[in-house]
Amino acid sequence: MITYSPEHRVFSLSTDRTTYAFLAAPGGFLVHLHYGARVSDTDALVALTALRDRPSFQPQTPDEAPGAAGTFFSRDTALQELSGFNTGDFRPAGLRIRWSDGSCAADLRYVSHSVAPGKPEPDGLPSAFAGKDPGVETLDVLCADAARGARVHLLYTVFPACDVIARSVLVENDTSEPFTLESLASAQLDLPDDRYDLLQLPGAWARERHAERVPLAHGERRLRSVRGATGHTMNNAFALLAPDASETAGDAYGLVLCYSGNFEASLDVSSFGSTRATVGISPETFSWTLAPGASFQSPEVFLVHSAEGTGAMSRRLHDFFRGHLLDPRWATRARPALVNNWEATYFDFDTEKLLSIARAAAPLGIEMLVLDDGWFGHRHDDRRSLGDWYEFAGKIGDMADLVRQIHDLGLKFGLWFEPEMVSEDSDLYRAHPDWALSIPGRGRSLARHQLVLDFSRDEVVDAIADTILRLLRRAKVDYLKYDMNRNHTEAFGAAFPPERQGEVEHRFILGVYRLHRKLLEGMPQLLIEGCSGGGGRFDAGMLRYTPQIWCSDDSDALERLRIQAGTSLFYPCSAIGAHVSACPNHQIGRTSPFETRATVALAGTFGYELDLTKLPAEDLAAIPGQIADFHRFAPVLLAGDHYRLFPAWRDNPVEAWMFVSKDKSRAILSAVRRAAVPNIPDERLRLQGLDPAARYEVGDEIWHGDTLLHAGLPLHRLLANLDTASLRLYLRRIDAPAS
Ligand code: GLA
């Protein structure tokens, strides 16, 4: 619910368990009052913002005389909703405008506001939607720059049941001169404390999103990407935690940017007992000139708070993604259990090989074959043919014919593309060398022998969309794996004049989103799996179009424990692309039990990434049981609650997690032991999320819910004391409260 108290000029945004409040203070400054657990009397919060006497190094505002006692409002120390640059707040500013006279300053003052049910969806950007929740409301706070009058809308949408607030900023030029946005945060969050831990997701190719928890200290810390994508090295979702917060208790604030291009998040601990988080498009590669009458909207950022630690923070976000961001056609629907041929064959396959994998897959219960890289142009290897999205006749002949044969076996069919890329050795490049991103007169940096197409140009996106759609329709393809295997260098938009080059990277990612929309509009039943060398573009923006993303090229079970736990901090497990691959593992050389690989992959979308025709008989024999678990687990995983039983930001000796249905009648418990322990002590594993008053069937034993929650299961009896041993159990509530 969103309320405004005219007497105290306080805005109060409440969700089921949180309150976000701010004040339109005298002078029009939007002063942040509170974000956290619910408070009922938000008007009383005004008393927390008393004016103060400040030394000369905290300036007054130009139009403000000191109050009677010599006190005044200091923008440098106040908590604010969105700070402008160069007008007295020396902390990192969320808004920086360069005016036509060359001056650079912004001074936002409240003008008016409106509240409307539902949520508008911005043009061209992925965004959350109101969905089925009638309680979703949007607050539009209009501010204007004090000197030039430019209009800035601060937009807040409240999703009550998930405790999420989506924020974005819309800037309109209703002045008579153009001006340039040099920096525009999607949100600024000023918190009234200087002691938070930052929970962030750094990584690299094959070891993405390793959660890391570090105490913030005075000064600024930046998380960023200028790769043209979110990137493997730092995700654009992060959290601020109270120092004592754990998975089950304490204040946790999550911020998730709904964007897939260059981003920046700044965490600044001030000298005045506050911490500022700003997040949005990276100002390093962005500027946008608004002509009179033009407007620009930032991507959205999703804010969530939990007073019950990071576990509840994640579960609220998972609910939010499923109800308000993922494509409703797929959000809680089971995806096909698949086999992907990449690690089975790499580039070395032909129709017969693919059919032999499909013939082996069908009787095991596998539901789809995904044909990965190498099926197009003359793609013998990774040096050629990106952009030539037609069949490699020497390998597979007619795609429609192949798909028909796969369908006849009862399997669906998926196909790999890398739409944003072009090889120099390709028909596409020979026809349109000017379509590749490059700076005239400067060398181009190759990566995996490929160049990046200039997706800031509509004609490039349209041509790629037409080519791909034509093939998908002709061959009746069910599923598309959308890859992106290098980052941007020498980014320059040949279609734009010098003064508009700051638009190119943002326009590029708008082009990527537009291509996704065209593909989905052109083939509404298509399921798209996102991918970028594994998880190099795992973000909320992509998830709007691709309800699952290949989480990492590393499918080693132990490595995946870390990657998937980190990813689950913000993103739902149903979106985590996870497969069982062959051992020794192709990325790291480790061998782990087949069942352990399945246990880990069953915490995601599930499938196989190996040559079924070469699999040992005992592993083959295990597959139908694993697929049966996949189907049994799917409803709980897709729509239930996820619990990490140990902190995601540590390598725990045993990793354990649960999925619990919303009505608590079904649960899945999985655990993996990293390494055998000599002379192992007794181990108790306390479960979470169950009904304490009910009894549960745990495998073939009966346990009380309260025992499982408060005393635990004897893990040493259930989980073998062997390197990388695993356990997965299905729990079923067998009765109502037991006395
Ligand atoms: C990327 C993907 C892999 C595979 C290869 C093909 O690395 O992450 O899964 O598709 O490309 O080249």
Side-chain angles (χ1 to χ4, degrees):
M1 191 169 57
I2 299 172
T3 59
Y4 176 68
S5 122
E7 189 189 343
H8 297 95
R9 294 165 59 100
V10 170
F11 293 91
S12 176
L13 288 63
S14 34
T15 66
D16 287 0
R17 286 154 292 204
T18 69
T19 298
Y20 186 110
F22 60 96
L23 163 74
F29 307 109
L30 291 179
V31 176
H32 181 77
L33 294 174
H34 170 74
Y35 184 34
R38 270 191 87 131
V39 296
S40 46
D41 183 4
T42 44
D43 287 351
L45 298 170
V46 177
L48 301 172
T49 65
L51 300 184
R52 304 275 293 279
D53 186 11
R54 293 286 183 194
S56 60
F57 294 92
Q58 272 85 55
Q60 294 160 227
T61 53
D63 55 350
E64 189 194 17
T71 58
F72 59 87
F73 174 78
S74 161
R75 266 198 280 217
D76 195 28
T77 58
L79 307 180
Q80 295 177 73
E81 287 301 295
L82 187 68
S83 296
F85 177 71
N86 197 17
T87 50
D89 183 346
F90 299 108
R91 293 167 290 180
L95 176 65
R96 192 181 156 112
I97 300 181
R98 177 85 53 190
W99 305 94
S100 55
D101 63 0
S103 65
C104 185
D107 177 358
L108 292 186
R109 308 294 181 96
Y110 169 77
V111 176
S112 63
H113 72 273
S114 60
V115 177
K119 176 178 181 301
E121 291 174 39
D123 276 352
L125 282 165
S127 69
F129 47 82
K132 292 184 185 142
D133 186 344
V136 173
E137 283 180 297
T138 300
L139 168 67
D140 178 344
V141 182
L142 174 62
C143 302
D145 176 71
R148 310 286 168 122
R151 290 150 67 93
V152 177
H153 298 260
L154 306 189
L155 302 168
Y156 304 77
T157 301
V158 173
F159 297 85
C162 318
D163 296 304
V164 167
I165 296 174
R167 287 186 58 180
S168 71
V169 180
L170 170 69
V171 182
E172 293 170 338
N173 184 357
D174 66 341
T175 73
S176 53
E177 299 278 333
F179 62 78
T180 301
L181 295 171
E182 291 191 341
S183 168
L184 175 65
S186 295
Q188 169 181 318
L189 178 64
D190 281 359
L191 293 170
D193 202 339
D194 55 5
R195 289 182 31 213
Y196 288 99
D197 288 352
L198 169 65
L199 183 58
Q200 58 180 7
L201 296 179
W205 174 80
R207 50 180 165 82
E208 296 90 336
R209 293 176 298 287
H210 279 207
E212 181 177 54
R213 180 174 179 163
V214 284
L216 287 176
H218 285 108
E220 187 186 10
R221 184 176 188 117
R222 285 195 299 155
L223 320 181
R224 58 188 278 281
S225 165
V226 289
R227 295 171 172 274
T230 315
H232 298 82
T233 53
M234 185 61 77
N235 199 256
N236 59 14
F238 60 95
L240 294 175
L241 311 181
D244 60 353
S246 66
E247 282 278 15
T248 53
D251 281 320
Y253 297 89
L255 291 92
V256 180
L257 185 62
C258 187
Y259 192 59
S260 314
N262 293 341
F263 76 93
E264 181 174 298
S266 153
L267 294 314
D268 186 72
V269 181
S270 84
S271 299
F272 297 96
S274 66
T275 299
R276 167 170 296 173
T278 42
V279 56
I281 297 176
S282 167
E284 288 182 70
T285 54
F286 171 82
S287 67
W288 197 281
T289 298
L290 289 177
S295 63
F296 181 89
Q297 180 155 5
S298 78
E300 292 177 355
V301 63
F302 308 133
L303 271 53
V304 66
H305 169 263
S306 143
E308 295 93 47
T310 44
M313 174 191 84
S314 304
R315 286 187 289 280
R316 289 167 196 183
L317 281 170
H318 297 176
D319 283 343
F320 170 72
F321 274 100
R322 294 186 296 213
H324 304 284
L325 190 83
L326 297 185
D327 186 333
R329 287 173 292 200
W330 293 103
T332 55
R333 175 164 150 205
R335 324 283 164 70
L338 62 85
V339 59
N340 177 304
N341 77 308
W342 178 240
E343 290 196 12
T345 65
Y346 295 102
F347 292 102
D348 184 16
F349 61 83
D350 56 16
T351 302
E352 196 34 52
K353 178 72 205 170
L354 297 171
L355 286 172
S356 71
I357 294 176
R359 278 189 216 106
L364 299 171
I366 292 173
E367 298 160 311
M368 179 162 70
L369 173 75
V370 177
L371 172 51
D372 211 282
D373 193 355
W375 58 267
F376 48 90
H378 298 88
R379 185 90 164 160
H380 295 290
D381 54 27
D382 63 8
R383 295 177 164 267
R384 67 204 82 243
S385 295
L386 291 172
D388 294 347
W389 304 117
Y390 50 81
E391 299 94 324
F392 187 162
K395 274 190 185 176
I396 57 161
D398 177 22
M399 184 65 73
D401 200 38
L402 172 63
V403 179
R404 197 173 318 113
Q405 293 185 70
I406 300 293
H407 283 166
D408 285 348
L409 287 166
L411 300 181
K412 293 185 184 302
F413 183 81
L415 199 54
W416 181 96
F417 289 86
E418 199 177 350
E420 294 154 49
M421 300 292 157
V422 65
S423 307
E424 282 179 311
D425 180 4
S426 69
D427 293 345
L428 181 69
Y429 185 75
R430 283 183 281 275
H432 298 286
D434 59 313
W435 280 9
L437 278 183
S438 69
I439 302 178
R442 194 174 284 280
R444 285 182 302 209
S445 310
L446 287 170
R448 209 190 188 202
H449 317 288
Q450 65 200 53
L451 297 168
V452 182
L453 288 171
D454 184 353
F455 264 38
S456 69
R457 291 164 69 173
D458 285 352
E459 73 270 29
V460 178
V461 175
D462 290 343
I464 297 294
D466 288 348
T467 311
I468 294 177
L469 274 172
R470 217 174 304 127
L471 176 66
L472 294 182
R473 287 204 188 104
R474 174 169 64 80
K476 300 194 169 44
V477 173
D478 306 294
Y479 176 101
L480 189 155
K481 177 173 174 184
Y482 186 127
D483 211 340
M484 188 261 190
N485 274 322
R486 63 158 293 177
N487 290 136
H488 296 182
T489 56
E490 295 87 32
F492 177 83
F496 296 96
E499 66 278 10
R500 292 184 60 193
Q501 289 301 315
E503 299 176 17
V504 169
E505 284 285 14
H506 182 60
R507 286 192 183 278
F508 184 102
I509 206 71
L510 294 179
V512 171
Y513 295 142
R514 201 162 70 80
L515 175 58
H516 281 82
R517 283 195 300 273
K518 286 187 92 147
L519 295 173
L520 290 167
E521 281 156 18
M523 286 194 72
Q525 298 310 318
L526 190 69
L527 172 57
I528 308 182
E529 174 190 11
C531 181
S532 173
R537 205 160 59 182
F538 203 120
D539 58 64
M542 295 317 301
L543 284 172
R544 178 71 189 84
Y545 307 108
T546 67
Q548 59 196 64
I549 298 178
W550 182 227
C551 188
S552 175
D553 275 343
D554 196 331
S555 46
D556 168 63
L558 282 197
E559 174 55 35
R560 275 294 185 122
L561 291 176
R562 193 77 200 263
I563 295 174
Q564 294 180 194
T567 306
S568 77
L569 278 166
F570 301 97
Y571 306 106
C573 298
S574 60
I576 294 179
H579 299 166
V580 176
S581 62
C583 275
N585 174 268
H586 290 200
Q587 291 76 36
I588 196 164
R590 186 158 33 216
T591 293
S592 54
F594 195 62
E595 280 303 336
T596 297
R597 283 173 266 157
T599 299
V600 175
L602 281 165
T605 56
F606 200 64
Y608 296 86
E609 181 108 7
L610 41 70
D611 190 345
L612 291 167
T613 66
K614 294 189 181 142
L615 207 59
E618 62 189 301
D619 291 352
L620 267 184
I623 290 180
Q626 295 172 353
I627 303 265
D629 276 354
F630 166 67
H631 288 298
R632 200 155 56 123
F633 292 4
V636 186
L637 184 142
L638 285 159
D641 287 325
H642 177 56
Y643 293 85
R644 292 176 296 269
L645 301 187
F646 298 104
W649 49 89
R650 286 206 297 259
D651 269 342
N652 303 292
V654 169
E655 298 293 352
W657 61 94
M658 295 178 67
F659 295 96
V660 182
S661 64
K662 290 281 179 191
D663 69 359
K664 300 186 183 297
S665 67
R666 301 276 185 279
I668 301 151
L669 167 65
S670 303
V672 177
R673 186 184 301 288
R674 287 180 184 278
V677 180
N679 194 9
I680 191 167
D682 287 354
E683 297 168 314
R684 291 184 184 195
L685 181 66
R686 283 207 212 165
L687 307 193
Q688 294 184 36
L690 301 174
D691 178 352
R695 291 188 307 160
Y696 286 86
E697 194 180 75
V698 183
D700 48 14
E701 299 175 357
I702 307 292
W703 288 79
H704 281 265
D706 55 6
T707 312
L708 296 170
L709 292 169
H710 308 314
L713 275 174
L715 190 66
H716 51 276
R717 193 152 63 68
L718 298 165
L719 179 61
N721 185 22
L722 296 169
D723 290 355
T724 65
S726 80
L727 150 79
R728 52 178 198 273
L729 285 173
Y730 192 75
L731 279 65
R732 199 171 63 84
R733 188 172 59 191
I734 55 168
D735 58 16
S739 53

